[in-house]
Amino acid sequence: MASIACSSAAFTGTSASDLLRSSSNGVSGIPLKTLGKAPFSVKKRDATVAAKLKKGKKHDYPWPADPDPNVKGGVLTHLSHFKPLKEKQKPVTLDFEKPLVEIEKKMIDVRRMANETGLDFSDQIILLENKYQQALKDLYRHLTPIQRVHIARHPNRPTFLDHIFSITDKFVELHGDRSGYDDPAIVTGIGTIDDRRYMFIGQQKGRNTKENIHRNFGMPTPHGYRKALRMMYYADHHGFPIVTFIDTPGAYADLKSEELGQSEAIAHNLRTMFGLKVPIVSIVIGEGGSGGALAIGCANKLLMLENAVFYVASPEACAAILWKTAKASPKAAEKLRITAPELCRLQICDGIIPEPLGGAHADPAWTSQQIKAAINETMDELTAMDTEKLLKHRMHKFRKLGGFEENAQVDPKKKVNMKKEDQIVCTTPNEELEGEVEKLKQQILKAKESSSKPPEMALKDMIEKLKKEVDHEYSEAIKATGLKDRLDMLREEVSKVNSRDQLMNPAIRDKIEKLKDEFSQKLSAAPNHSTLQYKLDMLKEFSKAKSLSDAATLKQEVNKKFNEIMSRPEINEKLEALKAEVQNSGSSSFADLDQGLKDKVLNTRKEVELEMISALKSIGLIVEGVKSNAKVLSEKDSPSIFKNKVDHLNEEIKKKIENAVGSSELKNMIELLKLEIAMAGNKPDTESKSKIEAIQKQIKQRLSEAIISSELKEEYEDLKEKNSEVEQYSAGADESLQKETKYEEPRLEINLGANSSFAQ
């Protein structure tokens, strides 16, 4: 700084401009250099003027003193601030690459040993080199999603401008959003590739800490997106195809960016890009994060480098949201489907640009040439389209994303891990439920007294409501006893059982038993134990009432069908004619009838049985007709003796079943079946039904093996053979032939589901 005091007496008649004019122009005056060296003063009427000369800031212009006109990219390349680094980037080893580093260290040690000793270690070096190359291939051909994320974020990975200066013949960077700002995180400019002019727009990361701070780590502000928008309008006006390079973790999310309209700037870009009349190609060269990437990514074609990633949220952010820890990022990266091959299968990415083994940073020049070839190939396809077709192509690319098919069958393998739909249970207050239960009980009692049907719809609705209430009470009891987490984990283990036709392994079964025992012990201490017990009792009572009602209704239907058949004219005529023939024959027993009449009786019987079976099948019942040949009953085959034999056989079978059920193996199966039914709930899925059926089948098989013995089998076959003879013996030996041969109702066994049966 220099202080100057000018005196009017010393320079009378000299103007200020003359005083400050340089002497180098041939005009007399005081040089500025002199003013800077020696202070002086000019007094005028006792007034002084003070001034300070401030040293100006030196601007760092990129233009050199002697620019080379033959430089690659043209002389205007000197205007770019992006220069080769003075120091080579330090190698960075990722965690999963450490095995390669160990092999590389061995190679260096062997080479050093060869140089120091002068011995020939060429075979060992070649062996290690081959081993290194094989390990490199094995590693980079089987990368996990999180490993690709780390490669995409590699500090030495080539940036947008690295690729631009490698693939373009000429490139001129354009700056500013015409609102007074120029965001260095987004670089735009015009360049040529093989004499084709393009508008290049890309997100630029730094190659070192200083550059990363200057480029804001590749996270653009609203100014950057508005600069990109201005260049898109410029390219659209002049007909330049647009190529965008995506490499950002996301738009900058600080307070200032939000105040300046970050979301509006991104949305404006999205809307504008769909209306541009020039071809657009986007290339993801690193990581493409969320809307910050999409703001310059609404293109006709989206290409990705082999190890690039494209996501709506980073794996770390996703893991922190879903699993409450960033350590779950490998799992999140796998579930997000963010790698190039997965996005190609989802039709989000239109092509993959290969990278060398080791990633793009292993050979940046080769990677750039692959990008150049991909741009030329894609632009050849897009430039052949007219404007209307180009716009429709771009619209269709995004309209087809996330397509779905209604009522499509889900692959069972995928369905195993699908989250089950959360069902909201609306519980009824206890007082209201008790009132409904008492009201329904009164209706059932009145129906019983008047020998009418109970209210079936009300009964059915009440059972369904009670089932939901019981399920809800059990859930609350499990929460209250602190066993919910263990139950959820156990359910997950059970769902992973691969085979549906086999029982679970003993370890899981033991866990189920322990959890069941612990729950049984703690259930009485649950706050809702009394409510749960009341609802369970009501459910059992109403279920029993419904079963009795269904059985009575079914019996009425069966009797009705039987009466309909027996009242048919043709059946009546046959029976009357047969009855007359038997009476005319004068025989006193079935055995005395001649063979022709015996056949007629049996054929008529069979015909009526078939009619009855057909009628019962029409109402949805499974019917087993018991066939028999009528024989003369001996004294030892009388109905009373036969009944005693049947009772004895039933007792023997009952004992065998009790012994079998008492065994530990069958007990475990039955408990497992109960647990599976409880876990399946009111609406079991296909997998649960299959498991329940498999367990039921095994239980039946074990029971069959337990009760079938040689003695019981012989006794059963003997009783089966004489069964039809007992049916013929309807009125006793003292009754007339008319009563003996009177047509009796056929014995039919009707299976109602798995556990019910009705005999008519």
Side-chain angles (χ1 to χ4, degrees):
M1 295 292 178
S3 299
I4 303 171
C6 299
S7 172
S8 58
F11 299 95
T12 307
T14 305
S15 65
S17 61
D18 292 335
L19 290 173
L20 298 177
R21 190 178 299 125
S22 174
S23 62
S24 60
N25 57 8
V27 181
S28 61
I30 300 174
L32 290 176
K33 190 179 292 184
T34 306
L35 292 175
K37 289 182 178 179
F40 58 91
S41 62
V42 178
K43 294 183 179 179
K44 183 178 181 180
R45 297 181 184 179
D46 299 329
T48 60
V49 177
K52 292 181 179 181
L53 294 180
K54 188 175 182 180
K55 191 175 181 181
K57 181 181 178 181
K58 184 179 179 181
H59 291 280
D60 184 19
Y61 291 105
W63 192 270
D66 51 345
D68 181 9
N70 299 319
V71 70
K72 184 180 181 299
V75 70
L76 293 179
T77 308
H78 294 293
L79 288 174
S80 176
H81 289 271
F82 190 81
K83 304 294 182 184
L85 291 173
K86 295 178 182 179
E87 297 180 1
K88 189 177 179 181
Q89 289 177 297
K90 295 180 180 179
V92 177
T93 303
L94 301 175
D95 288 340
F96 65 90
E97 292 179 324
K98 288 180 180 179
L100 298 176
V101 175
E102 293 176 2
I103 299 174
E104 199 170 2
K105 283 182 179 178
K106 289 180 182 178
M107 291 167 56
I108 293 171
D109 292 341
V110 172
R111 287 194 180 101
R112 186 177 65 250
M113 191 182 299
N115 293 332
E116 291 174 355
T117 61
L119 299 175
D120 184 13
F121 290 98
S122 57
D123 293 340
Q124 288 83 349
I125 292 172
I126 292 172
L127 185 64
L128 287 172
E129 286 177 348
N130 292 337
K131 185 179 179 181
Y132 179 84
Q133 290 299 324
Q134 187 60 43
L136 186 66
K137 287 179 183 178
D138 293 341
L139 182 62
Y140 273 83
R141 286 177 181 172
H142 303 89
L143 291 170
T144 62
I146 194 64
Q147 288 173 346
R148 292 189 188 275
V149 172
H150 293 322
I151 295 172
R153 295 172 178 170
H154 199 285
N156 297 343
R157 193 171 178 84
T159 64
F160 164 58
L161 286 175
D162 286 319
H163 291 304
I164 286 297
F165 287 115
S166 294
I167 66 178
T168 56
D169 304 321
K170 294 181 180 180
F171 177 75
V172 179
E173 185 177 348
L174 302 177
H175 298 268
D177 63 350
R178 292 297 181 264
S179 296
Y181 299 96
D182 182 30
D183 184 4
I186 284 190
V187 177
T188 60
I190 301 174
T192 59
I193 298 177
D194 297 340
D195 297 328
R196 283 184 179 178
R197 191 174 287 109
Y198 299 101
M199 173 63 73
F200 292 99
I201 301 170
Q203 289 150 336
Q204 176 67 22
K205 288 184 177 180
R207 297 168 292 179
N208 50 41
T209 304
K210 182 180 178 181
E211 284 190 9
N212 267 322
I213 293 171
H214 174 64
R215 302 286 182 180
N216 200 27
F217 294 87
M219 295 184 289
T221 63
H223 311 309
Y225 292 120
R226 290 179 180 128
K227 175 169 72 171
L229 181 66
R230 184 175 78 85
M231 298 308 167
M232 290 176 196
Y233 281 129
Y234 184 89
D236 191 49
H237 177 75
H238 292 283
F240 299 155
I242 299 173
V243 181
T244 67
F245 286 71
I246 298 171
D247 187 14
T248 178
Y252 195 45
D254 69 330
L255 180 61
K256 191 68 177 176
S257 296
E258 296 298 333
E259 289 176 350
L260 293 172
Q262 183 75 283
S263 57
E264 184 275 338
I266 292 173
H268 200 168
N269 281 26
L270 297 178
R271 183 184 68 179
T272 302
M273 290 187 79
F274 281 105
L276 297 177
K277 299 175 183 178
V278 294
I280 307 175
V281 174
S282 292
I283 304 171
V284 185
I285 59 173
E287 56 178 337
S290 191
L294 203 59
I296 60 171
C298 296
N300 294 92
K301 294 280 188 179
L302 176 70
L303 307 178
M304 293 180 68
L305 285 180
E306 185 179 350
N307 294 317
V309 290
F310 196 54
Y311 48 72
V312 68
S314 68
E316 293 81 6
C318 177
I321 294 168
L322 295 182
W323 293 283
K324 310 303 180 187
T325 173
K327 292 181 180 179
S329 56
K331 184 178 180 181
E334 183 180 352
K335 300 295 183 184
L336 283 170
R337 308 271 191 252
I338 58 178
T339 60
E342 289 169 332
L343 292 173
C344 270
R345 284 194 290 271
L346 295 172
Q347 298 184 350
I348 294 173
C349 172
D350 299 298
I352 300 175
I353 302 173
E355 292 186 28
L357 289 174
H361 53 280
D363 193 347
W366 186 86
T367 306
S368 297
Q369 293 309 308
Q370 298 302 312
I371 293 174
K372 179 179 179 179
I375 291 173
N376 286 333
E377 181 182 352
T378 308
M379 283 299 177
D380 288 341
E381 178 186 349
L382 295 178
T383 51
M385 301 180 186
D386 56 27
T387 302
E388 184 178 357
K389 189 175 180 182
L390 193 68
L391 292 173
K392 286 183 178 179
H393 178 273
R394 195 179 306 148
M395 181 196 70
H396 179 67
K397 169 181 169 51
F398 286 88
R399 290 291 292 172
K400 71 180 180 180
L401 297 182
F404 64 93
E405 183 180 353
E406 292 186 11
N407 301 323
Q409 294 294 327
V410 181
D411 185 359
K413 292 182 180 178
K414 294 181 179 179
K415 200 171 182 179
V416 169
N417 296 321
M418 287 176 66
K419 182 181 178 183
K420 289 183 172 57
E421 183 180 358
D422 294 332
Q423 296 182 353
I424 301 173
V425 180
C426 299
T427 58
T428 308
N430 292 338
E431 295 79 6
E432 184 180 342
L433 184 64
E434 288 175 5
E436 293 179 6
V437 166
E438 290 300 324
K439 184 179 178 181
L440 185 57
K441 279 183 178 180
Q442 294 298 326
Q443 292 177 1
I444 294 172
L445 288 173
K446 287 180 182 179
K448 193 174 182 180
E449 290 172 359
S450 60
S451 300
S452 60
K453 288 184 179 181
E456 292 184 3
M457 289 303 298
L459 193 59
K460 184 179 178 182
D461 293 341
M462 178 57 70
I463 290 172
E464 290 298 323
K465 180 182 284 190
L466 284 171
K467 283 181 179 178
K468 291 179 181 178
E469 292 285 339
V470 168
D471 288 344
H472 176 69
E473 294 297 339
Y474 268 121
S475 300
E476 293 299 319
I478 290 170
K479 289 179 184 177
T481 53
L483 300 175
K484 187 176 185 305
D485 293 339
R486 286 176 58 188
L487 180 62
D488 291 339
M489 292 174 63
L490 192 57
R491 278 178 175 167
E492 188 175 350
E493 287 184 34
V494 172
S495 66
K496 290 179 180 179
V497 176
N498 295 325
S499 177
R500 298 182 179 180
D501 299 328
Q502 295 180 1
L503 292 174
M504 302 174 194
N505 58 57
I508 296 179
R509 197 186 317 169
D510 291 341
K511 288 182 181 179
I512 293 171
E513 289 297 328
K514 287 180 182 178
L515 184 61
K516 183 182 175 183
D517 293 340
E518 190 173 348
F519 178 67
S520 300
Q521 293 172 4
K522 293 183 177 181
L523 182 59
S524 58
N528 63 335
H529 178 254
S530 58
T531 307
L532 172 60
Q533 194 63 44
Y534 170 76
K535 291 178 180 179
L536 271 174
D537 293 340
M538 290 301 102
L539 179 59
K540 290 177 183 177
E541 186 176 342
F542 286 127
S543 298
K544 184 178 179 181
K546 187 174 185 301
S547 299
L548 294 173
S549 175
D550 291 344
T553 303
L554 185 60
K555 188 172 182 179
Q556 290 177 2
E557 289 184 9
V558 171
N559 290 333
K560 183 180 177 182
K561 288 289 181 183
F562 180 74
N563 292 331
E564 286 177 0
I565 292 172
M566 298 304 294
S567 61
R568 290 179 187 174
E570 64 273 16
I571 299 293
N572 276 328
E573 288 177 4
K574 286 184 180 180
L575 289 176
E576 291 297 331
L578 186 61
K579 182 179 176 181
E581 286 187 37
V582 171
Q583 288 176 347
N584 295 332
S585 67
S587 301
S588 59
S589 66
F590 181 79
D592 296 337
L593 295 175
D594 59 61
Q595 190 59 40
L597 197 52
K598 283 182 181 178
D599 292 340
K600 272 189 179 183
V601 172
L602 294 176
N603 289 336
T604 304
R605 178 193 180 97
K606 185 176 180 181
E607 185 180 345
V608 176
E609 281 182 354
L610 292 175
E611 289 288 339
M612 189 63 189
I613 290 171
S614 177
L616 293 178
K617 282 183 178 179
S618 66
I619 60 174
L621 298 177
I622 302 173
V623 182
E624 295 179 1
V626 180
K627 301 177 182 179
S628 64
N629 295 321
K631 294 181 181 179
V632 179
L633 293 177
S634 62
E635 186 178 350
K636 64 178 182 178
D637 295 328
S638 62
S640 59
I641 297 175
F642 182 79
K643 184 176 181 300
N644 293 334
K645 290 183 177 181
V646 171
D647 292 340
H648 179 265
L649 180 62
N650 286 335
E651 287 295 328
E652 291 294 326
I653 293 173
K654 187 177 179 181
K655 287 179 182 178
K656 293 282 186 181
I657 292 175
E658 287 176 354
N659 293 335
V661 171
S663 65
S664 58
E665 183 182 4
L666 206 55
K667 270 186 179 179
N668 290 337
M669 289 185 184
I670 293 170
E671 292 300 326
L672 185 59
L673 176 62
K674 289 179 181 178
L675 183 62
E676 287 289 346
I677 293 171
M679 291 175 68
N682 296 332
K683 297 180 179 179
D685 54 17
T686 307
E687 184 179 358
S688 298
K689 286 181 180 177
S690 301
K691 289 181 179 178
I692 290 170
E693 289 173 2
I695 297 171
Q696 287 177 340
K697 185 178 178 182
Q698 292 195 2
I699 291 173
K700 290 177 182 178
Q701 185 178 352
R702 297 290 190 279
L703 288 174
S704 299
E705 292 172 356
I707 64 175
I708 292 177
S709 65
S710 58
E711 295 177 359
L712 290 178
K713 194 170 183 181
E714 289 176 5
E715 191 174 351
Y716 170 74
E717 292 296 336
D718 183 51
L719 290 175
K720 184 178 178 182
E721 184 180 353
K722 295 173 181 178
N723 181 36
S724 58
E725 298 176 11
V726 175
E727 288 183 357
Q728 293 290 335
Y729 197 85
S730 60
D734 296 332
E735 294 182 336
S736 65
L737 182 62
Q738 178 180 353
K739 289 186 177 180
E740 183 183 74
T741 56
K742 182 178 179 181
Y743 188 83
E744 54 184 285
E745 298 178 5
R747 183 177 181 277
L748 300 173
E749 294 178 2
I750 305 166
N751 296 328
L752 307 177
N755 301 318
S756 304
S757 64
F758 176 76
Q760 174 63 35

